[in-house]
């Protein structure tokens, strides 16, 4: 399942679907976009958090797989549908994973999932409403390096299957780490695949219902495929450093400021230039540093810079802050470039507002 929040462009979803991959969604809007991209409802898993019940009802109406992540919601679901609509349950296995508090979702203080220690309670709710649990899910966060973390999670979910005999799907979420710098170690998916297969062969022995293992990578599928192209607007020497300003900022790529993520920066216009040390910053009225003390081939005003690993959580987290426009998205496929989202215009900013001569609508 492709976690489309990383890059929710429908053209990308269509490409992903052509590879035989399903869709992992976290909002009803992503579900609807997925269906517009051609996914069948049963190819979509909906894993919302803290949504009103109406959003879950809508997902049931659309026929997608629903993943429930709190006991009150499970009770509500049971009261409404009994066992007529099979569901997934999101378990919080309390595995501390990932390189960063804000992208780690399985730890003890996390708002996600139902604690593995509440399984008895879940069992009671399931039994009293006759709920049909056909999937167990976990997602412990981003940037997990070791296969060991997935194996521990798998072990916990396999133990839980004993209590829910109708389970056919075990979803181990994501968190596959990708390379941001040369030489970065990435999650060894081959090793993980082998270890899981060995474990699953033992698990299915003597069972009459098969169990599928699912994953839902976002970043792993699209991060390295995406590049943010910006243009150098000014070179400014201060007492501290040489700033290179670009026609972009945290409104287009917020990850460095939000998570401290590293995005390698290349001068596409002057790759053979002598390297200098620059601090590359955006044009937003807020500190928006893409990189301190970066060695980049000599920069001149007008040069095009490429920021790597911008495919995941780049455009999808972009905003109109400072009333600046979001850039287009261009898909390069087999050497052919094609615009899959156009550049915004001032009219896009005005489209949802009321200018003085317009009638306002009372809310
Ligand atoms: C964000 C998210 C993912 C994808 O995470 P990546 O780090 O991009 O692979 C998968 N599943 C759920 C439920 C998520 O919220």
């Amino acid at each position: 399942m492709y976690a489309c929040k990383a890059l929710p462009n429908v053209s990308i979803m269509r490409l992903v679907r052509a590879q035989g991959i399903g869709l992992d969604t976290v909002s009803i809007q992503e579900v609807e976009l997925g269906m517009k991209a051609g996914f069948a409802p049963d190819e979509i898993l909906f894993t919302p958090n803290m949504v009103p019940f109406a959003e879950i009802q809508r997902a049931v109406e659309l026929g997608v797989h629903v993943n429930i992540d709190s006991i009150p919601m499970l009770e509500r679901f049971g009261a409404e549908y009994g066992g007529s609509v099979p569901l997934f349950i999101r378990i919080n296995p309390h595995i501390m994973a990932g390189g960063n508090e804000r992208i780690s979702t399985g730890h003890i203080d996390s708002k996600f999932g139902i604690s593995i220690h509440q399984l008895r309670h879940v069992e009671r709710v399931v039994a009293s409403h006759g709920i049909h649990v056909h999937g167990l899910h976990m997602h412990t966060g981003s940037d997990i390096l070791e296969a060991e973390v997935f194996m521990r999670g798998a072990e916990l979910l396999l133990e839980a299957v004993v209590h829910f005999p109708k389970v056919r799907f075990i979803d181990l979420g994501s968190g596959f780490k990708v390379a941001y710098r040369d030489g970065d170690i990435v999650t060894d998916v081959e090793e993980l695949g082998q270890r899981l297969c060995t474990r699953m062969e033992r698990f299915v022995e003597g069972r009459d219902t098969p169990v599928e293992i699912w994953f839902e990578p976002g970043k792993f599928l699209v991060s390295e495929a995406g590049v943010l192209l910006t243009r150098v607007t000014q070179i400014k020497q201060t007492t501290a450093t040489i700033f290179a300003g670009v026609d972009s900022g945290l409104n287009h790529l917020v990850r460095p400021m939000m998570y401290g993520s590293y995005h390698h920066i290349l001068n596409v216009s002057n790759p053979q230039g002598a390297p200098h040390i620059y601090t590359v910053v955006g044009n937003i009225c807020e500190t928006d540093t893409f990189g301190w003390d970066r060695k980049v081939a000599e920069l001149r005003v007008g040069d095009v810079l490429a920021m790597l690993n911008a495919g995941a959580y780049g455009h999808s987290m972009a905003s109109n802050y400072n009333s600046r426009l979001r850039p287009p998205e261009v898909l390069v496929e087999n050497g052919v470039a094609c615009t899959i989202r156009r550049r915004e215009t001032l009219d896009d900013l005005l489209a949802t507002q009321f200018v003085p001569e317009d009638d306002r609508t009372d809310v």
Side-chain angles (χ1 to χ4, degrees):
M1 315 296 275
Y2 165 53
C4 69
K5 72 176 192 279
L7 174 49
N9 189 301
V10 289
S11 301
I12 301 299
M13 292 189 201
R14 292 210 345 238
L15 269 185
V16 164
R17 184 167 184 277
Q19 307 290 316
I21 303 172
L23 201 70
D24 182 62
T25 59
V26 292
S27 70
I28 200 70
Q29 291 77 12
E30 283 186 353
V31 169
E32 306 226 16
L33 288 178
M35 293 179 70
K36 287 219 187 301
F39 285 93
D42 73 344
E43 295 169 334
I44 300 178
L45 175 65
F46 178 45
T47 301
N49 177 249
M50 302 296 176
V51 293
F53 191 64
E55 199 165 309
I56 288 178
Q57 281 174 308
R58 176 80 185 122
V60 170
E61 275 165 33
L62 292 171
V64 303
H65 293 287
V66 175
N67 192 4
I68 298 291
D69 101 327
S70 79
I71 287 178
M73 216 33 115
L74 188 65
E75 282 174 330
R76 184 83 196 268
F77 196 97
E80 183 96 7
Y81 304 109
S84 65
V85 180
L87 52 69
F88 279 65
I89 294 180
R90 178 172 186 170
I91 306 283
N92 181 344
H94 302 304
I95 298 171
M96 186 62 192
N100 188 315
E101 257 301 280
R102 272 180 281 179
I103 52 180
S104 176
T105 57
H107 58 86
I108 196 85
D109 293 324
S110 168
K111 67 169 183 154
F112 299 100
I114 301 174
S115 168
I116 190 105
H117 304 303
Q118 290 174 294
L119 271 189
R120 295 282 300 141
H121 191 175
V122 171
E123 258 185 286
R124 285 208 182 88
V125 175
V126 165
S128 66
H129 293 285
I131 293 171
H132 180 172
V133 182
H134 76 164
L136 292 180
H137 170 278
M138 66 165 218
H139 169 68
T140 51
S142 249
D143 280 358
I144 306 172
L145 200 52
E146 298 108 46
E148 190 53 38
V149 174
F150 288 103
M151 292 307 295
R152 264 192 288 152
E155 214 49 61
L156 289 169
L157 290 195
L158 291 179
E159 275 169 34
V161 171
V162 177
H163 306 280
F164 307 102
K166 289 184 176 161
V167 163
R168 290 176 45 219
F169 309 107
I170 291 187
D171 187 333
L172 297 178
S174 176
F176 297 108
K177 194 167 162 24
V178 301
Y180 284 85
R181 304 170 198 248
D182 271 352
D184 263 4
I185 305 168
V186 299
T187 312
D188 189 341
V189 288
E190 298 282 334
E191 183 204 339
L192 174 61
Q194 267 162 20
R195 288 180 63 180
L196 260 180
C197 282
T198 311
R199 179 65 188 94
M200 288 313 291
E201 273 160 20
R202 262 197 297 139
F203 181 77
V204 295
E205 243 170 59
R207 271 181 68 92
D208 23 84
T209 35
V211 175
E212 280 181 27
I213 296 280
W214 289 6
F215 286 99
E216 37 188 52
K219 194 190 285 181
F220 189 75
L221 295 178
V222 293
S223 173
E224 288 156 288
V227 171
L228 172 65
L229 295 179
T230 64
R231 205 177 279 284
V232 176
T233 50
Q234 291 192 28
I235 308 281
K236 179 173 175 179
Q237 167 102 53
T238 68
T239 47
T241 184
I242 303 175
F243 284 106
V246 296
D247 61 347
S248 181
L250 60 74
N251 54 326
H252 297 160
L253 183 66
V254 75
R255 299 187 73 251
M257 303 89 199
M258 194 159 162
Y259 303 127
S261 64
Y262 177 91
H263 293 263
H264 199 65
I265 300 172
L266 296 172
N267 184 351
V268 179
S269 303
N270 186 24
Q272 307 305 335
H276 292 279
I277 303 292
Y278 299 96
T279 297
V280 180
V281 294
N283 58 9
I284 292 299
C285 285
E286 187 123 1
T287 300
D288 57 350
T289 310
F290 288 111
W292 273 101
D293 297 338
R294 293 297 183 82
K295 198 191 250 187
V296 186
E298 185 177 4
L299 294 179
R300 303 149 313 181
V301 170
D303 280 355
V304 173
L305 298 193
M307 317 237 174
L308 306 192
N309 284 91
Y313 309 106
H315 204 294
S316 70
M317 291 179 100
S319 76
N320 291 116
Y321 187 46
N322 281 197
S323 298
R324 290 199 177 273
L325 308 173
R326 279 175 291 193
E329 288 179 313
V330 177
L331 174 66
V332 182
E333 201 183 2
N334 303 322
V336 181
C338 166
T339 303
I340 56 172
R341 187 193 298 270
R342 66 161 169 77
R343 187 185 299 280
E344 286 180 341
T345 65
L346 190 64
D347 284 341
D348 292 316
L349 293 187
L350 288 168
T352 51
Q353 307 184 46
F354 300 96
V355 287
E357 57 270 26
D358 288 346
D359 285 339
R360 291 189 203 178
T361 335
D362 289 329
V363 284

